Amino acid sequence: MLRDYQSLSEQAAALVGDRIRRNPATVLGLATGSTPLGLYRELVKMVRRGVIDFGEVVTFNLDEYYPIAKENPQSYYYYMQRHFWEPAAIPPERAHIPDGNPDDVRASCRDYELKIYRAGGIDLQILGIGVNGHIGFNEPGEELMAKTHLVSLSGETIAANSRFFEKAADVPRMAITMGLGTIMKAREILLLAAGPDKGTAIRETVKGGLSTRVPASLLQAHPRVTVMVDREAARYLR
Ligand code: PGA
C-alpha cells in the first residue's frame, strides 16, 4: 500500500523501469483511464533523464472503444499518443492497440491475438480496475471470454466513463478488449488502483473467492501479480 497517488505512480514507474532495464525489448501491456496517468508521467520523466529507453519495447493496449476513429480525441489511441507513446518516444510500429473501427471485428480481434503471440507474448501487463471489478473491459457476468473480443459495456462502466464525455449520448456502449485468457497469459501483472471508489473492488479482488462476477479476482490464480494501491483504495483491506 502506498501513501498517495503520487507515490503509487512513482513505485509503479520504478517497477516498470526495472523490467525495461533488465530487458530493453520487453513486451508491455498497457492500460488507459485515469489511474495509469501518473505512471506514464513518471516514465516519461525517466526517458527524458536518460534513465530508460523505450526504443526496443513493444506495447499492446488492453482495449479500445467501438466504434471509434483513431483521430477522435476520446479514443484510447488518441489518449495513448498524447500521454505516452509520443512523449516516451515509442516507435509507432511497435505500439499496438485494438482497432476501434475495423471492417471485420472478428478478424481484427484474431489478428490482435496473433500479433501478441508473434511478439512472444506479454512480459508485463499494467492493469487498472473498474469499480465493478472489471479488468480491460471484461465485465462481470456468468462467463468471461478468453480472447480479444467485442463487448457491451455494463451500466456501471458507462456511468464511470461518462465523466470523460460532455453528453451522456456520446459515451461509448461497446468496446474491443483483450480477454481474460490474453491477460492471464502475461508473465507478470501490475494492477494499480487509487481512490475510495475502488475500495470494494480491491477488497473483493484480493480477499474474495474467484468469481466471474469480479473479473479481477481471477488474478489470484496468476503466479506473478503485484497489486499497488493507495490508502483510499486499500480502505477495506484492513
Ligand atoms: P480508471 O479506470 O483508471 O479511469 O479508474 C479503470 C478501469 O476502468 O479499468
Side-chain angles (χ1 to χ4, degrees):
M1 185 188 68
L2 285 312
R3 193 171 64 250
D4 54 20
Y5 181 66
Q6 180 56 27
S7 30
L8 173 92
S9 303
E10 288 169 12
Q11 275 298 122
L15 188 149
V16 175
D18 172 75
R19 303 302 185 264
I20 289 168
R21 272 192 303 272
R22 285 168 198 259
N23 173 16
T26 294
V27 179
L28 260 189
L30 299 175
T32 47
S34 45
T35 312
L37 283 175
L39 161 65
Y40 294 148
R41 197 176 51 230
E42 293 304 316
L43 287 174
V44 168
K45 278 192 211 161
M46 289 161 77
V47 170
R48 294 198 173 134
R49 288 204 305 266
V51 180
I52 46 170
D53 187 308
F54 282 98
E56 288 179 54
V57 168
V58 177
T59 72
F60 287 94
N61 265 79
L62 279 170
D63 46 23
E64 175 62 284
Y65 289 130
Y66 173 87
I68 201 161
K70 286 179 175 165
E71 302 74 33
N72 186 328
Q74 300 285 8
S75 73
Y76 285 160
Y77 180 95
Y78 196 95
Y79 165 116
M80 289 307 301
Q81 282 280 19
R82 169 158 173 228
H83 296 293
F84 194 53
W85 294 337
E86 257 181 39
I90 300 197
E93 68 279 9
R94 290 174 188 263
H96 305 91
I97 187 163
D99 182 353
N101 213 7
D103 293 333
D104 181 338
V105 173
R106 280 164 170 260
S108 180
C109 291
R110 266 199 312 272
D111 180 56
Y112 200 64
E113 289 284 331
L114 199 58
K115 279 190 182 136
I116 296 173
Y117 176 76
R118 289 202 177 124
I122 293 169
D123 293 308
L124 172 62
Q125 175 68 55
I126 315 289
L127 294 177
I129 183 169
V131 286
N132 61 2
H134 75 202
I135 46 177
F137 275 131
N138 293 281
E139 302 284 31
E142 290 294 307
E143 294 182 336
L144 295 169
M145 300 289 286
K147 294 190 170 169
T148 301
H149 61 286
L150 181 65
V151 61
S152 294
L153 300 178
S154 69
E156 278 159 313
T157 298
I158 293 168
N161 290 344
S162 65
R163 70 190 194 276
F164 299 114
F165 294 81
E166 271 179 32
K167 286 186 281 168
D170 292 343
V171 188
R173 300 292 196 264
M174 299 185 93
I176 291 172
T177 181
M178 283 184 193
L180 244 297
T182 327
I183 294 171
M184 292 292 280
K185 269 191 283 185
R187 291 176 195 97
E188 181 178 9
I189 292 177
L190 172 59
L191 173 70
L192 305 175
D197 294 356
K198 302 291 170 72
T200 303
I202 284 296
R203 186 195 58 215
E204 288 177 12
T205 295
V206 176
K207 299 214 156 166
L210 272 64
S211 167
T212 59
R213 295 272 162 212
V214 183
S217 68
L218 301 195
L219 297 174
Q220 290 178 31
H222 191 283
R224 198 173 180 209
V225 182
T226 305
V227 179
M228 285 188 192
V229 289
D230 71 355
R231 240 187 225 144
E232 293 180 323
R235 64 190 184 147
Y236 298 131
L237 287 183
R238 278 152 249 159

